[in-house]
């Protein structure tokens, strides 16, 4: 069997024990099976270590109805060739196992097969031999020997070559490195035969160099070349090596991608290869041994270890080879995917969530902007409706307002005429003249106040929120409707707070609310004999400022009691039903409320509550 190197050392006899979980015999003693495993190479070879792992994996998972003892012996034929050493090895086994009962012999590697055949006749005549780690030629050589069961491996040089061509389709030259030992030369002959029909690429065999010479040739290769390392048990200087160590040293400096023909090369600098792995070989040998122990006559004479292409992902990256070019059934080892490959699903899910959230946020922003535009448009329309409502109110009060202006103007005219008459006298009474002028100024201010209030109510622009005294708002509004109140023969009673009631509000809008409440109260009492209205200000719960209007009308109609502030709901013949609705909106915009405190047949009381500034 071709030898491979690994850092693990196995000393002496390797004994693996598998004890049964249940007794197979009535006397409570399970049958004991002893297996002698003979290896061609040394115990430190990576190939042997891998084979032992494969054997162990099968026996550890086998049905434990028997106890197995496995004895391991290592010929080390590569470093100690020759018939003399082989005979000494057989004699040592004879002396060691002469008094032992051996139930089966396993061999690993071609050199171990004749050893097993020779020792079997001396220590265990007729026991079955399962031999693996061999090529088809070795199986054919021992096909006629009784009791031998072959496990054939393939060290697929042609498959390795084709694998390299898959990964390097532009390559024009393949370099085959091999050493100077007899085993190395046999590998070279085998490779020449396997690649003899290749005509579309240059095939160059390189041998009989020192290890340093191999390293120098590898370093000088073109990156497009293919380098296949066979075995280097010995170099041209006569130095001996573990082949896997030698090829690892060469691959370390190679400018071209390096391929190997053994699975033990994987992970040590080579890109890959096509072969039966040593772990699979060991497992196949163990499975064959178990079947032979169970039924020697029924076991097939030969089985084959499957071949697969194996690649080292790290070396693919090192030589910038595209993994997508590899055969579909190949195995990729040491694969360390990038963030995208490792978390592709999570990244896509996160992106989908982010996209969904972004879309939701964008939709919410658009909706919020639309809401603001709609709110602004609604506020603008509400202000326009309020202005139109004020104009309608002023239209209803036009006669009273004209009378309110006419009184000071008439007084001004009378006082002016009286003043003129006084000045025409030879000795006018200056004190009386001063009183006349004072009356003119007072009446002029009274007329000016009416006009100012009218301008405030008529304008479409809000003055904004400002600190104002609720009592002053009442007085200015009452001044506009006082003539209307008198003409309707309504007894108006003002009960204003003795202290200032400061609020933060729009004077124009607050006046509109009060005018609407006063006109509604006056209209409600139109058919009443007793017409008494009370306008009152004071403090309410939680330091609120309260303005209320009380009348002696018949109260709210039945249809309006559930929601008297509903738009377009009115009991007036000429009314539009927007006054109370607009007044409630103004109250809420000021952070307050407008509500009917009471409404009976004896009258109603409406209260406007505003927070303290």
């Amino acid at each position: 069997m071709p030898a491979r190197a690994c850092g693990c050392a196995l000393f002496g006899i390797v004994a693996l024990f598998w004890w049964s979980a249940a007794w197979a015999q009535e006397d409570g003693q399970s049958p004991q099976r002893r297996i002698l495993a003979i290896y061609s190479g040394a115990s430190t070879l990576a190939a042997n270590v891998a084979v032992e792992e494969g054997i162990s994996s099968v026996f550890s998972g086998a049905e434990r109805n028997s106890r197995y003892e496995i004895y391991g012996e290592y010929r080390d034929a590569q470093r100690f060739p020759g018939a003399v050493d082989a005979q000494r090895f057989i004699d040592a086994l004879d002396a060691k196992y002469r008094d032992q009962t051996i139930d089966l012999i396993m061999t690993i590697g071609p050199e171990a097969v004749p050893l097993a055949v020779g020792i079997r006749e001396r220590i265990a005549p007729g026991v079955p031999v399962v031999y693996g780690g061999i090529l088809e030629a070795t199986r054919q050589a021992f096909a006629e020997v009784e009791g031998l069961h072959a496990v054939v491996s393939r060290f697929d040089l042609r498959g390795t070559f084709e694998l390299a061509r898959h990964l390097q389709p532009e390559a024009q030259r393949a370099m085959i490195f091999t050493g100077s030992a007899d085993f190395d030369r046999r590998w070279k002959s085998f490779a020449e035969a396997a690649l003899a029909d290749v005509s579309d690429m240059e095939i160059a065999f390189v041998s009989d160099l020192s290890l340093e010479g191999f390293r120098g040739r590898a370093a000088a290769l073109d990156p497009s070349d293919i380098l296949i390392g066979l075995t280097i048990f010995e170099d041209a200087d006569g130095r001996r090596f573990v082949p896997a160590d030698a090829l690892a040293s060469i691959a370390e400096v190679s400018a071209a991608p390096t391929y190997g023909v053994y699975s033990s090369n994987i992970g040590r600098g080579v890109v890959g290869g096509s072969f039966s792995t040593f772990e699979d070989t060991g497992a196949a040998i163990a499975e064959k041994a178990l079947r032979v122990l169970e039924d020697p006559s029924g076991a097939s004479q030969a089985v084959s270890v499957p071949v697969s292409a194996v690649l080292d992902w790290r070396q693919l990256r090192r030589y910038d080879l595209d993994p997508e070019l590899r055969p579909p059934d190949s195995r990729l080892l040491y694969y360390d995917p990038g963030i995208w490959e490792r978390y592709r699903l999570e990244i896509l899910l996160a992106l989908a969530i982010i996209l969904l959230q972004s879309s939701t946020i964008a939709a919410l922003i658009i909706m919020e902007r639309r809401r603001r535009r709609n709110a602004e448009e609604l506020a603008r329309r509400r202000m326009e409706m309020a202005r139109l409502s004020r104009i309608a109110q002023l239209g209803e009060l036009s006669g009273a307002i004209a009378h309110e202006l006419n009184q000071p103007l008439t007084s001004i005219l009378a006082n002016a005429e009286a003043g003129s008459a006084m000045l025409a006298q030879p000795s006018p009474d200056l004190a009386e003249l001063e009183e006349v002028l004072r009356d003119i100024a007072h009446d002029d201010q009274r007329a000016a106040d009416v006009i100012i209030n009218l301008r405030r109510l008529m304008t479409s622009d809000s003055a904004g929120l400002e600190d104002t005294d609720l009592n002053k708002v009442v007085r200015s509004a009452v001044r506009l409707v006082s003539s209307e109140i008198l003409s309707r023969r309504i007894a108006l009673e003002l009960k204003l707070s003795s202290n200032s009631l400061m609020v933060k509000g729009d004077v124009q809008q607050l006046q509109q609310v009060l005018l609407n409440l006063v006109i509604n109260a006056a209209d409600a009492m139109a058919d009443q004999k007793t017409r008494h209205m009370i306008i009152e200000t004071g403090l309410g719960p939680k330091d609120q400022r309260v303005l209320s209007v009380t009348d002696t009308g018949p109260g709210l109609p039945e249809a309006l009691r559930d929601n008297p502030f509903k738009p377009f709901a009115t009991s007036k013949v000429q009314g539009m039903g927007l006054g109370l609705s607009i007044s409630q909106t103004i109250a809420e915009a000021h952070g307050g409320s407008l509500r009917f405190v009471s409404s009976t047949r004896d009258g109603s009381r409406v209260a406007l509550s505003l927070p303290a500034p």
Side-chain angles (χ1 to χ4, degrees):
M1 166 183 153
R4 301 277 320 266
C6 178
C8 178
L10 300 178
F11 300 96
I13 299 175
V14 177
L16 302 177
F17 297 95
W18 290 267
W19 295 94
S20 65
W23 300 104
Q25 298 181 357
E26 293 183 358
D27 59 1
Q29 296 296 323
S30 62
Q32 182 173 327
R33 302 294 181 87
R34 293 185 178 90
I35 300 171
L36 175 61
I38 302 176
Y39 294 82
S40 296
S43 63
T44 56
L45 286 180
N48 289 340
V49 174
V51 168
E52 288 170 357
E53 290 178 355
I55 293 173
S56 176
S57 68
V58 172
F59 275 102
S60 63
E63 273 191 53
R64 299 182 180 179
N65 58 357
S66 298
R67 185 178 65 180
Y68 301 99
E69 292 185 29
I70 302 178
Y71 302 92
E73 300 292 345
Y74 301 88
R75 166 70 177 86
D76 200 1
Q78 286 75 34
R79 289 187 290 186
F80 302 99
V84 174
D85 286 301
Q87 188 59 48
R88 288 174 180 170
F89 182 77
I90 292 176
D91 292 340
L93 293 182
D94 182 22
K96 190 172 184 178
Y97 296 102
R98 183 180 305 158
D99 298 327
Q100 296 287 336
T101 299
I102 301 299
D103 298 290
L104 182 138
I105 298 176
M106 295 189 304
T107 69
I108 297 90
E111 294 86 356
V113 182
L115 300 177
V117 173
I119 195 62
R120 177 175 67 166
E121 299 308 318
R122 297 169 65 172
I123 64 173
V127 300
V129 175
V130 176
Y131 61 115
I134 59 161
L135 301 180
E136 176 62 20
T138 303
R139 187 198 70 79
Q140 293 178 3
F142 290 90
E144 302 302 323
V145 180
E146 287 288 334
L148 267 61
H149 306 270
V151 177
V152 181
S153 298
R154 287 181 58 198
F155 302 100
D156 188 11
L157 175 63
R158 187 57 180 260
T160 299
F161 175 74
E162 296 299 336
L163 173 65
R165 297 189 71 174
H166 267 288
L167 296 172
Q168 297 175 247
E170 304 300 326
Q172 298 297 318
R173 183 174 65 167
M175 307 296 291
I176 315 297
F177 282 13
T178 185
S180 302
D182 291 340
F183 189 90
D184 302 333
R185 292 191 178 95
R186 290 199 299 271
W187 243 121
K188 180 181 178 182
S189 298
F190 173 77
E192 289 173 339
L195 301 177
D197 62 338
V198 177
S199 59
D200 58 343
M201 178 182 289
E202 178 187 352
I203 306 294
F205 288 87
V206 179
S207 59
D208 297 325
L209 294 177
S210 65
L211 181 60
E212 291 73 17
F214 283 119
R215 284 169 57 89
R217 289 291 297 273
L221 292 176
D222 189 273
S224 65
D225 289 338
I226 294 171
L227 172 57
I228 299 177
L230 302 179
T231 60
I232 301 177
F233 276 104
E234 184 178 321
D235 68 359
D237 294 338
R239 291 181 298 174
R240 294 183 178 275
F241 302 96
V242 173
D245 291 342
L247 186 55
S249 177
I250 294 170
E252 180 183 18
V253 298
S254 177
T258 306
Y259 301 84
V261 292
Y262 295 117
S263 62
S264 52
N265 293 130
I266 299 298
R268 308 194 66 184
V270 302
V271 173
S274 178
F275 33 66
S276 299
T277 68
F278 291 118
E279 290 83 356
D280 290 345
T281 299
I285 292 172
E287 290 171 355
K288 184 69 171 178
L290 287 174
R291 287 196 295 270
V292 169
L293 286 172
E294 182 179 348
D295 183 12
S297 61
S300 62
Q301 294 302 305
V303 295
S304 297
V305 182
V307 173
S308 61
V310 182
L311 294 167
D312 187 331
W313 182 80
R314 300 168 301 180
Q315 301 306 317
L316 291 175
R317 292 190 60 188
R318 172 188 171 186
Y319 291 106
D320 197 24
L321 300 178
D322 186 0
E324 297 298 324
L325 296 178
R326 63 190 177 97
D329 57 346
S330 60
R331 294 162 56 187
L332 189 59
L333 303 182
Y334 308 108
Y335 179 56
D336 184 17
I339 297 298
W340 169 250
E341 292 180 88
R342 184 178 300 172
Y343 302 109
R344 178 180 302 175
L345 180 61
E346 291 82 355
I347 292 174
L348 290 175
L349 182 60
L351 289 176
I353 293 174
I354 291 173
L355 180 61
L356 181 61
Q357 290 179 336
S358 300
S359 302
T360 303
I361 292 172
L364 290 174
I365 292 174
I366 294 174
M367 291 175 62
E368 177 63 17
R369 288 179 177 175
R370 289 179 178 175
R371 188 195 65 79
R372 289 181 180 178
R373 286 198 299 268
N374 292 337
E376 291 172 357
E377 178 65 17
L378 181 61
R380 187 186 66 79
R381 292 180 180 274
R382 186 170 59 239
M383 294 298 296
E384 183 65 19
M385 288 295 296
R387 188 181 73 84
L388 294 176
S389 177
R390 289 196 300 272
I391 293 174
Q393 287 177 344
L394 293 176
E396 294 180 18
L397 298 173
S398 58
I401 293 173
H403 179 74
E404 188 70 18
L405 282 173
N406 188 53
Q407 282 185 336
L409 291 176
T410 300
S411 179
I412 289 172
L413 178 61
N415 284 322
E417 291 175 349
S420 297
M422 290 180 186
L423 289 175
Q425 295 176 1
S427 299
D429 186 345
L430 296 180
E432 188 175 356
L433 184 59
E434 182 180 2
E435 183 68 24
V436 169
L437 293 175
R438 189 179 299 112
D439 289 341
I440 291 174
H442 178 268
D443 290 331
D444 180 76
Q445 184 62 48
R446 180 181 172 188
D449 289 342
V450 172
I451 294 173
I452 289 172
N453 287 332
L454 283 174
R455 289 185 61 187
R456 280 183 175 178
L457 289 170
M458 292 291 292
T459 183
S460 61
D461 295 328
S462 174
L465 300 181
E466 58 184 87
D467 290 337
T468 186
D469 185 358
L470 191 58
N471 291 329
K472 290 184 178 180
V473 173
V474 173
R475 292 190 183 98
S476 62
V478 168
R479 191 174 298 123
L480 290 175
V481 295
S482 58
S483 296
E484 181 73 11
I485 295 298
L486 290 174
S487 67
R488 296 194 185 196
R489 298 191 302 277
I490 297 173
L492 177 60
E493 181 181 357
L494 293 180
K495 294 183 178 181
L496 304 184
S497 173
S498 58
N499 298 319
S500 297
L501 293 177
M502 302 303 295
V503 296
K504 183 175 285 295
D506 186 318
V507 174
Q508 167 188 315
Q509 293 182 4
L510 295 179
Q511 284 181 339
Q512 180 179 356
V513 173
L514 180 57
L515 287 175
N516 184 72
L517 297 181
V518 169
I519 292 173
N520 283 350
D523 291 340
M525 295 185 293
D527 298 329
Q528 302 295 108
K529 293 182 179 180
T530 302
R531 302 171 187 174
H532 186 205
M533 183 186 303
I534 301 174
I535 300 177
E536 185 177 3
T537 61
L539 291 175
K542 298 182 180 179
D543 200 31
Q544 286 193 323
R545 277 62 171 149
V546 180
L547 165 62
S548 64
V549 176
T550 306
D551 62 57
T552 56
L556 287 169
E558 186 68 29
L560 296 180
R561 287 186 179 179
D562 291 338
N563 186 8
F565 301 100
K566 182 179 180 181
F568 305 106
T570 179
S571 60
K572 300 179 183 179
V573 177
Q574 302 296 330
M576 296 180 61
L578 291 176
L580 284 177
S581 176
I582 292 174
S583 297
Q584 185 185 49
T585 301
I586 293 174
E588 292 174 350
H590 283 72
S593 64
L594 182 66
R595 64 189 181 92
F596 275 80
V597 178
S598 63
S599 178
T600 66
R601 293 180 179 179
D602 298 327
S604 299
R605 181 170 180 258
V606 186
L608 170 66
S609 299
L610 298 172

